[in-house]
PDB file of all heavy atoms in Angstrom:
ATOM      1  N   LYS A 452     -26.660 -22.710-115.378  1.00 49.00           N
ATOM      2  CA  LYS A 452     -26.641 -24.029-115.999  1.00 49.00           C
ATOM      3  C   LYS A 452     -25.199 -24.485-116.165  1.00 49.00           C
ATOM      4  O   LYS A 452     -24.395 -23.795-116.784  1.00 49.00           O
ATOM      5  CB  LYS A 452     -27.304 -23.989-117.389  1.00 49.00           C
ATOM      6  CG  LYS A 452     -28.812 -23.750-117.362  1.00 49.00           C
ATOM      7  CD  LYS A 452     -29.565 -25.013-117.013  1.00 49.00           C
ATOM      8  CE  LYS A 452     -31.071 -24.804-117.134  1.00 49.00           C
ATOM      9  NZ  LYS A 452     -31.812 -26.031-116.767  1.00 49.00           N
ATOM     10  N   ALA A 453     -24.887 -25.619-115.596  1.00 48.00           N
ATOM     11  CA  ALA A 453     -23.558 -26.177-115.837  1.00 48.00           C
ATOM     12  C   ALA A 453     -23.468 -26.611-117.287  1.00 48.00           C
ATOM     13  O   ALA A 453     -24.476 -26.854-117.949  1.00 48.00           O
ATOM     14  CB  ALA A 453     -23.306 -27.363-114.904  1.00 48.00           C
ATOM     15  N   GLN A 454     -22.257 -26.747-117.790  1.00 48.00           N
ATOM     16  CA  GLN A 454     -22.086 -27.081-119.202  1.00 48.00           C
ATOM     17  C   GLN A 454     -22.748 -28.416-119.559  1.00 48.00           C
ATOM     18  O   GLN A 454     -23.428 -28.538-120.561  1.00 48.00           O
ATOM     19  CB  GLN A 454     -20.599 -27.117-119.546  1.00 48.00           C
ATOM     20  CG  GLN A 454     -19.965 -25.747-119.591  1.00 48.00           C
ATOM     21  CD  GLN A 454     -18.549 -25.795-120.122  1.00 48.00           C
ATOM     22  OE1 GLN A 454     -18.017 -26.856-120.403  1.00 48.00           O
ATOM     23  NE2 GLN A 454     -17.941 -24.625-120.265  1.00 48.00           N
ATOM     24  N   THR A 455     -22.554 -29.415-118.716  1.00 47.00           N
ATOM     25  CA  THR A 455     -23.140 -30.731-119.018  1.00 47.00           C
ATOM     26  C   THR A 455     -24.649 -30.677-118.958  1.00 47.00           C
ATOM     27  O   THR A 455     -25.344 -31.228-119.800  1.00 47.00           O
ATOM     28  CB  THR A 455     -22.614 -31.779-118.022  1.00 47.00           C
ATOM     29  OG1 THR A 455     -22.856 -31.306-116.685  1.00 47.00           O
ATOM     30  CG2 THR A 455     -21.130 -31.982-118.202  1.00 47.00           C
ATOM     31  N   GLU A 456     -25.201 -29.973-117.965  1.00 52.00           N
ATOM     32  CA  GLU A 456     -26.649 -29.850-117.833  1.00 52.00           C
ATOM     33  C   GLU A 456     -27.233 -29.085-119.007  1.00 52.00           C
ATOM     34  O   GLU A 456     -28.300 -29.424-119.523  1.00 52.00           O
ATOM     35  CB  GLU A 456     -26.999 -29.148-116.522  1.00 52.00           C
ATOM     36  CG  GLU A 456     -26.630 -29.953-115.287  1.00 52.00           C
ATOM     37  CD  GLU A 456     -26.891 -29.176-114.005  1.00 52.00           C
ATOM     38  OE1 GLU A 456     -27.171 -27.967-114.111  1.00 52.00           O
ATOM     39  OE2 GLU A 456     -26.795 -29.762-112.920  1.00 52.00           O
ATOM     40  N   ALA A 457     -26.530 -28.030-119.441  1.00 49.00           N
ATOM     41  CA  ALA A 457     -27.012 -27.238-120.563  1.00 49.00           C
ATOM     42  C   ALA A 457     -27.101 -28.098-121.822  1.00 49.00           C
ATOM     43  O   ALA A 457     -28.066 -27.992-122.592  1.00 49.00           O
ATOM     44  CB  ALA A 457     -26.085 -26.050-120.790  1.00 49.00           C
ATOM     45  N   HIS A 458     -26.105 -28.947-122.020  1.00 52.00           N
ATOM     46  CA  HIS A 458     -26.100 -29.799-123.211  1.00 52.00           C
ATOM     47  C   HIS A 458     -27.263 -30.786-123.166  1.00 52.00           C
ATOM     48  O   HIS A 458     -27.917 -31.041-124.175  1.00 52.00           O
ATOM     49  CB  HIS A 458     -24.771 -30.541-123.304  1.00 52.00           C
ATOM     50  CG  HIS A 458     -24.601 -31.304-124.577  1.00 52.00           C
ATOM     51  ND1 HIS A 458     -24.597 -30.701-125.817  1.00 52.00           N
ATOM     52  CD2 HIS A 458     -24.459 -32.638-124.804  1.00 52.00           C
ATOM     53  CE1 HIS A 458     -24.448 -31.615-126.760  1.00 52.00           C
ATOM     54  NE2 HIS A 458     -24.358 -32.798-126.173  1.00 52.00           N
ATOM     55  N   ILE A 459     -27.546 -31.334-121.989  1.00 51.00           N
ATOM     56  CA  ILE A 459     -28.655 -32.278-121.839  1.00 51.00           C
ATOM     57  C   ILE A 459     -29.978 -31.583-122.119  1.00 51.00           C
ATOM     58  O   ILE A 459     -30.896 -32.153-122.723  1.00 51.00           O
ATOM     59  CB  ILE A 459     -28.656 -32.888-120.419  1.00 51.00           C
ATOM     60  CG1 ILE A 459     -27.422 -33.784-120.250  1.00 51.00           C
ATOM     61  CG2 ILE A 459     -29.933 -33.674-120.162  1.00 51.00           C
ATOM     62  CD1 ILE A 459     -27.245 -34.302-118.847  1.00 51.00           C
ATOM     63  N   ASP A 460     -30.122 -30.333-121.719  1.00 69.00           N
ATOM     64  CA  ASP A 460     -31.362 -29.585-121.923  1.00 69.00           C
ATOM     65  C   ASP A 460     -31.484 -29.033-123.333  1.00 69.00           C
ATOM     66  O   ASP A 460     -32.406 -28.268-123.620  1.00 69.00           O
ATOM     67  CB  ASP A 460     -31.439 -28.421-120.927  1.00 69.00           C
ATOM     68  CG  ASP A 460     -31.636 -28.922-119.497  1.00 69.00           C
ATOM     69  OD1 ASP A 460     -32.011 -30.095-119.342  1.00 69.00           O
ATOM     70  OD2 ASP A 460     -31.403 -28.139-118.565  1.00 69.00           O
ATOM     71  N   GLY A 461     -30.553 -29.361-124.196  1.00 79.00           N
ATOM     72  CA  GLY A 461     -30.626 -28.883-125.569  1.00 79.00           C
ATOM     73  C   GLY A 461     -29.991 -27.536-125.790  1.00 79.00           C
ATOM     74  O   GLY A 461     -30.182 -26.937-126.852  1.00 79.00           O
ATOM     75  N   LEU A 462     -29.227 -27.055-124.795  1.00 84.00           N
ATOM     76  CA  LEU A 462     -28.549 -25.767-124.934  1.00 84.00           C
ATOM     77  C   LEU A 462     -27.063 -26.003-125.193  1.00 84.00           C
ATOM     78  O   LEU A 462     -26.503 -27.012-124.788  1.00 84.00           O
ATOM     79  CB  LEU A 462     -28.734 -24.923-123.672  1.00 84.00           C
ATOM     80  CG  LEU A 462     -30.175 -24.587-123.285  1.00 84.00           C
ATOM     81  CD1 LEU A 462     -30.191 -23.779-121.999  1.00 84.00           C
ATOM     82  CD2 LEU A 462     -30.886 -23.828-124.401  1.00 84.00           C
ATOM     83  N   SER A 463     -26.454 -25.066-125.855  1.00 84.00           N
ATOM     84  CA  SER A 463     -25.035 -25.189-126.184  1.00 84.00           C
ATOM     85  C   SER A 463     -24.180 -25.161-124.922  1.00 84.00           C
ATOM     86  O   SER A 463     -24.546 -24.549-123.913  1.00 84.00           O
ATOM     87  CB  SER A 463     -24.608 -24.043-127.103  1.00 84.00           C
ATOM     88  OG  SER A 463     -24.777 -22.804-126.440  1.00 84.00           O
ATOM     89  N   LYS A 464     -23.044 -25.850-124.987  1.00 83.00           N
ATOM     90  CA  LYS A 464     -22.105 -25.780-123.872  1.00 83.00           C
ATOM     91  C   LYS A 464     -21.513 -24.379-123.753  1.00 83.00           C
ATOM     92  O   LYS A 464     -21.312 -23.875-122.653  1.00 83.00           O
ATOM     93  CB  LYS A 464     -20.980 -26.811-124.062  1.00 83.00           C
ATOM     94  CG  LYS A 464     -21.435 -28.249-123.893  1.00 83.00           C
ATOM     95  CD  LYS A 464     -20.241 -29.183-123.978  1.00 83.00           C
ATOM     96  CE  LYS A 464     -20.670 -30.624-123.742  1.00 83.00           C
ATOM     97  NZ  LYS A 464     -19.516 -31.554-123.796  1.00 83.00           N
ATOM     98  N   GLU A 465     -21.231 -23.775-124.888  1.00 85.00           N
ATOM     99  CA  GLU A 465     -20.659 -22.445-124.872  1.00 85.00           C
ATOM    100  C   GLU A 465     -21.756 -21.412-124.654  1.00 85.00           C
ATOM    101  O   GLU A 465     -22.903 -21.593-125.077  1.00 85.00           O
ATOM    102  CB  GLU A 465     -19.952 -22.149-126.193  1.00 85.00           C
ATOM    103  CG  GLU A 465     -19.300 -20.777-126.209  1.00 85.00           C
ATOM    104  CD  GLU A 465     -18.433 -20.573-127.442  1.00 85.00           C
ATOM    105  OE1 GLU A 465     -18.735 -21.168-128.478  1.00 85.00           O
ATOM    106  OE2 GLU A 465     -17.460 -19.800-127.345  1.00 85.00           O
TER     107      GLU A 465
END
Side-chain angles (χ1 to χ4, degrees):
K452 291 281 186 181
Q454 288 188 357
T455 54
E456 294 175 350
H458 187 61
I459 292 173
D460 291 344
L462 300 179
S463 62
K464 290 185 177 181
E465 182 172 29

